[in-house]
Amino acid sequence: MRHTILSLALILIHLHGPGLAQEIQPLAAPLRLPPRQPVDLAQGSAGVVASASPLASAIGCDCLADGGNAVDAAIAVGFALAVTWPEAGNLGGGGFMLVAPAGSEEPSADRIVRCIDYRETAPSAATEDSFVNWTDRRHPRMAGTPGTVRGFESAHRRYGSMPWKRLIEPSIRLAREGFLVDRYLAYSLNSVLSDPLIRDHDRYAEFRRVYQHPSHSLWRPGDRLLQPDLAKTLETIAENGADGFYTGRVADAIDRQMRSDDGLISRQDLHDYQPVVRTAIERSVLGYQVFGAPPPSSGGLTVGLQLKMIESLGLQPQADVPWTVDHLHLMSEVMRRAFRQRAAFLGDPDFSTLQLDGFSDQAAARLAAEIDHRHATPSGELAGDIALTDGPYESEQTTHYSVIDATGMAVSNTTTLEQSFGSLSVVAGCGFLLNNEMGDFNWRPGYTNTEGAIGTSANLVAPGKRMLSSMSPTIVKQDGKVRLIVGSPGGRTIINSVCETIVQTLLFDRSLADAVDAPRFHHQWFPDAIYLEGFDPQAYSGMIGPLQSRGHVVIQTPGRRQGAVNAIEVDLDSGIATAVADWRRGGAARAVRSKPVANPTASRAR
Ligand code: DON
């Protein structure tokens, strides 16, 4: 009943179209992740947005409604997320923005799908050995030189149509006047603030000053979060462009913090930072053109290799269930092989010539043909010339949003601070967090272990180099028109969450809502195990035993959620786009002049 009321409330909000009206949030226990709900849906032909935050999605739609294009809206959403979703939305991080310009079906230079690579770089003081014995991931030393603000500026210069300031003003207002915290943000803030390390350590005093509840209690839905320092930083960026971040007062503050906290980023590193505009990876698969982020993201190549292998295995859908034992077996075999290739070959292409033959269509066919349809291949057998060690596991927040405008221009953007709230280092007086992205390099040269550490050469640390990413912003075209925009957070699981969503929609012909709702699973070569989502005990019922008898180690952690796919699909006949936001981390879909839309996932939520 509560969900029916909530869904009705959401439909009413959609009917009223975008805006900054605050949504009514039912009270929930502030330290528990909100329960499963229907995915959030919005539909229209005048532009749609799906992101992790209702306010950010509304800001994107307002921008489209005011005549902005998809890139304008994506930049506005990105700045808004830095205010409303601080665990991953950022100024002090980086990411990859895939842009598919609108246009005729004729291929031409101005229709090339490009990737704005605004990945962080290693500071000039970082060397191959800087982190060999380093264990503290939540340290300012783990921050790479941030790329987000220059990246957004570069996207705006190339594609933007609205004044830069217009894209930032709504976020300045949200930061200065505050906004009402929802259940997901309350959970996110409470989780980090209740960590004893954050509560008690001097190093996190600025973090506490900025994010702690004014009365030092837990955050509750409906409380107001004010960020006056962040408002000033955003104003400086609105006035001075990216120079307002990379030079002057903000750069000085970063530099001072790095000196006092044993960090590596210098004023020169900030001054020198440049995003790179790259051509997207393009792959013909399953009758579609799949575009993905190129190295230094592993996303485009690895998702593409997996899809090619799946195509050659001829997977068929089965009515009524998202996945069968055969699907899980075969896709896990695909994943383990693709992640082995990722570990062996990928890194920053501007620092070494990457050997990419292992991702070709021929390689995909060969790797797929080696798969035993009845038995798991132990991951160790695939190591080849990668020396393996047995050793302890080193574990590793990111956010993805999708935008399409009325002309069909599409943006798929994934951005991150690496872990939730990055290095936990808030730049004093500036109100934003620095990333801890250096952890995405291979820390220990030569040390690849059975628990997931990778030590291969292409992704070792070097000054100015970009660390390998799993971020997989993806755009799929059919007959030259945008059909699907997809991406997710989740570290290495991103690649598999994106692949599974594409298989569900394009190969199994399910609605995007069902595809996003479907349970997810993950295999990453090492650890040699299939990780099943655990929020729904029924989802894999009767499947674990048969998978074990095929030789798989299967791990299902109760409550585990994989990723948060905020995606868009377009009906090419009607031109209507449907935005779908994942319930797993509280995403929100919004449309310019929305139409009501039936939600096939409503009955599944508990
Ligand atoms: O670039 C990457 O692959 C990682 N830094 C992303 C981290 C991430 O997705 C964590 N979030 N859930």
Side-chain angles (χ1 to χ4, degrees):
M1 179 67 176
R2 220 188 63 195
H3 291 298
T4 319
I5 292 168
L6 185 63
S7 308
L8 277 171
L10 291 174
I11 287 171
L12 281 173
I13 286 162
H14 292 151
L15 280 171
H16 283 95
L20 290 184
Q22 302 271 326
E23 291 176 17
I24 306 153
Q25 298 286 343
L27 237 104
L31 263 175
R32 278 193 22 231
L33 197 50
R36 185 177 184 180
Q37 323 183 27
V39 298
D40 196 27
L41 293 181
Q43 213 170 59
S45 51
V48 297
V49 180
S51 85
S53 149
L55 290 164
S57 294
I59 282 173
C61 278
D62 284 345
C63 187
L64 296 173
D66 282 359
N69 65 29
V71 171
D72 295 317
I75 294 167
V77 172
F79 281 116
L81 288 167
V83 182
T84 63
W85 191 236
E87 69 170 57
N90 66 80
L91 302 181
F96 297 89
M97 180 185 285
L98 217 60
V99 181
S104 68
E105 283 170 39
E106 298 303 313
S108 69
D110 62 354
R111 290 206 65 216
I112 292 171
V113 180
R114 290 200 166 84
C115 179
I116 316 280
D117 164 359
Y118 58 99
R119 183 69 160 166
E120 299 91 326
T121 51
S124 48
T127 64
E128 196 168 296
D129 299 329
S130 297
F131 297 95
V132 169
N133 295 314
W134 193 264
T135 52
D136 185 356
R137 292 179 82 94
R138 300 293 202 161
H139 190 284
R141 200 177 180 79
M142 296 302 293
T145 309
T148 297
V149 182
R150 276 272 181 244
F152 286 179
E153 182 183 68
S154 159
H156 183 253
R157 286 196 173 142
R158 186 175 273 266
Y159 299 105
S161 69
M162 284 187 131
W164 172 250
K165 273 190 190 173
R166 160 68 183 83
L167 307 181
I168 310 177
E169 275 161 1
S171 302
I172 299 174
R173 267 200 309 282
L174 279 180
R176 190 189 304 114
E177 295 166 16
F179 63 95
L180 304 188
V181 166
D182 66 16
R183 296 178 301 163
Y184 290 86
L185 181 56
Y187 170 80
S188 168
L189 292 169
N190 291 337
S191 310
V192 64
L193 288 162
S194 52
D195 183 325
L197 183 72
I198 313 298
R199 250 185 3 227
D200 304 330
H201 199 298
D202 282 351
R203 195 204 281 163
Y204 307 114
E206 183 70 357
F207 187 95
R208 291 194 298 270
R209 190 181 71 77
V210 168
Y211 293 115
Q212 176 166 269
H213 193 283
S215 63
H216 291 217
S217 60
L218 288 174
W219 285 97
R220 292 194 167 270
D223 291 345
R224 185 170 289 272
L225 174 63
L226 293 154
Q227 300 173 81
D229 292 349
L230 179 56
K232 272 189 256 152
T233 300
L234 287 166
E235 270 168 353
T236 311
I237 296 167
E239 286 300 323
N240 304 306
D243 285 350
F245 182 91
Y246 292 90
T247 61
R249 183 182 80 84
V250 176
D252 289 348
I254 298 175
D255 184 64
R256 264 196 309 280
Q257 189 133 330
M258 291 288 109
R259 285 165 193 268
S260 70
D261 290 356
D262 198 22
L264 298 175
I265 305 167
S266 68
R267 207 187 261 102
Q268 192 65 42
D269 293 325
L270 292 166
H271 177 271
D272 292 348
Y273 181 84
Q274 286 300 330
V276 183
V277 181
R278 305 181 191 272
T279 304
I281 298 286
E282 179 177 353
R283 195 119 201 186
S284 293
V285 55
L286 303 166
Y288 300 90
Q289 300 87 48
V290 179
F291 297 88
S297 176
S298 61
L301 285 164
T302 313
V303 170
L305 179 63
Q306 291 187 344
L307 290 173
K308 261 338 246 192
M309 290 166 76
I310 290 165
E311 179 183 65
S312 79
L313 288 166
L315 254 59
Q316 296 292 325
Q318 184 168 307
D320 302 330
V321 291
W323 306 112
T324 63
V325 169
D326 274 342
H327 295 148
L328 287 177
H329 168 70
L330 291 173
M331 287 190 47
S332 298
E333 292 305 306
V334 162
M335 290 169 182
R336 89 164 81 233
R337 285 166 175 80
F339 272 84
R340 187 267 170 203
Q341 303 297 80
R342 174 191 183 277
F345 301 118
L346 299 185
D348 184 343
D350 299 336
F351 278 71
S352 50
T353 306
L354 304 179
Q355 303 297 318
L356 299 182
D357 295 353
F359 293 86
S360 65
D361 289 359
Q362 294 78 358
R366 175 179 53 76
L367 291 167
E370 285 168 6
I371 292 174
D372 180 326
H373 286 236
R374 303 302 303 170
H375 300 102
T377 308
S379 284
E381 286 183 11
L382 302 176
D385 53 9
I386 304 176
L388 278 181
T389 315
D390 284 324
Y393 181 51
E394 294 167 46
S395 85
E396 85 178 77
Q397 194 71 29
T398 305
T399 191
H400 177 83
Y401 57 94
S402 301
V403 183
I404 193 163
D405 64 23
T407 70
M409 182 185 214
V411 175
S412 187
N413 187 79
T414 314
T415 184
T416 192
L417 291 162
E418 161 55 359
Q419 287 177 291
S420 193
F421 297 95
S423 63
L424 303 172
S425 177
V426 178
V427 177
C430 296
F432 67 87
L433 284 152
L434 289 171
N435 66 83
N436 60 342
E437 217 77 57
M438 294 297 285
D440 279 355
F441 279 115
N442 296 348
W443 291 22
R444 297 193 198 130
Y447 184 79
T448 301
N449 72 10
T450 52
E451 300 296 334
I454 300 170
T456 48
S457 63
N459 188 35
L460 299 177
V461 186
K465 186 172 172 179
R466 287 158 147 83
M467 54 297 279
L468 184 65
S469 174
S470 297
M471 289 189 273
S472 309
T474 304
I475 295 177
V476 181
K477 289 191 180 185
Q478 181 179 352
D479 303 327
K481 293 188 182 135
V482 172
R483 169 85 166 79
L484 192 63
I485 311 168
V486 59
S488 179
R492 291 184 214 176
T493 68
I494 294 173
I495 290 167
N496 293 331
S497 297
V498 168
C499 178
E500 289 163 26
T501 308
I502 293 175
V503 167
Q504 286 287 328
T505 47
L506 301 185
L507 186 58
F508 293 178
D509 206 21
R510 299 211 161 93
S511 70
L512 182 60
D514 282 332
V516 170
D517 197 52
R520 302 195 181 118
F521 56 95
H522 175 68
H523 197 302
Q524 59 170 46
W525 183 42
F526 285 116
D528 188 350
I530 307 177
Y531 294 83
L532 305 178
E533 281 195 316
F535 57 83
D536 178 1
Q538 297 307 310
Y540 293 107
S541 102
M543 297 171 81
I544 296 178
L547 286 167
Q548 288 169 329
S549 19
R550 293 186 190 196
H552 294 283
V553 172
V554 184
I555 299 174
Q556 188 174 30
T557 311
R560 178 178 170 264
R561 299 177 184 192
Q562 181 176 313
V565 173
N566 298 319
I568 294 171
E569 72 175 337
V570 183
D571 179 316
L572 295 186
D573 295 329
S574 65
I576 292 177
T578 304
V580 178
D582 208 329
W583 58 271
R584 289 168 177 81
R585 296 191 201 181
R590 294 291 179 270
V592 179
R593 293 192 294 282
S594 181
K595 300 181 174 172
V597 40
N599 191 333
T601 73
S603 62
R604 269 173 243 144
R606 263 178 276 269

